[in-house]
């Protein structure tokens, strides 16, 4: 370190010593005080671990289900509204036809 209070230790070939703190900065997959424990490289997409990747997949699945559910609800609401509007239009036509028939009788 700057004031020589932190001296670098041997970090094996799996890390390098931080001259400021005197601690080992381990390479990916290695841990421990001198980077002596191998934990494997379980990093995939964008540096995410398998656990983080699993959580991401679950979240994407949940969001997809929500979007599908909303889409179906909107579709069926619009379909029901269209049926209701068609009934109103048909009723108005029926009244108009009855009124025209009534006028022809008079």
């Amino acid at each position: 370190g700057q004031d020589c209070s932190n001296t670098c230790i041997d970090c094996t070939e799996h890390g390098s010593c931080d001259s400021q703190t005197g601690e080992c900065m381990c390479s990916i997959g290695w841990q421990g005080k001198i980077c002596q424990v191998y934990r494997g490289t379980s990093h995939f997409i964008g540096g995410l671990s398998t656990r983080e990747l699993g959580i991401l997949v679950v979240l994407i699945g949940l969001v997809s289900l929500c979007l599908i559910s909303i889409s179906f609800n909107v579709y069926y609401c619009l379909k029901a509204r269209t049926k209701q509007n068609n009934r109103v239009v048909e009723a108005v036509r029926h009244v108009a036809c009855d009124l025209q028939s009534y006028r022809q009788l008079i």
Side-chain angles (χ1 to χ4, degrees), residues 6 13 16 33 40 64:
N6 296 324
E13 68 266 13
S16 59
K33 188 162 181 82
S64 298

Side-chain angles (χ1 to χ4, degrees), residues 21-98:
T21 63
E23 296 178 0
C24 290
M25 303 293 290
C26 300
S27 301
I28 294 176
W30 292 90
Q31 295 177 342
K33 188 162 181 82
I34 58 169
C35 305
Q36 76 281 11
V37 180
Y38 181 69
R39 295 288 183 194
T41 53
S42 61
H43 290 82
F44 294 104
I45 300 170
L48 296 176
S49 68
T50 51
R51 180 175 180 257
E52 292 166 334
L53 190 59
I55 292 170
L56 181 63
V57 167
V58 169
L59 288 176
I60 289 172
L62 290 174
V63 168
S64 298
L65 286 175
C66 288
L67 290 175
I68 290 169
S69 175
I70 290 168
S71 298
F72 277 117
N73 284 331
V74 168
Y75 171 76
Y76 285 113
C77 285
L78 289 175
K79 188 175 179 180
R81 187 174 291 165
T82 301
K83 282 184 180 179
Q84 184 179 10
N85 288 344
N86 287 342
R87 283 189 218 128
V88 170
V89 168
E90 193 60 37
V92 169
R93 283 185 192 149
H94 185 70
V95 169
C97 288
D98 286 347

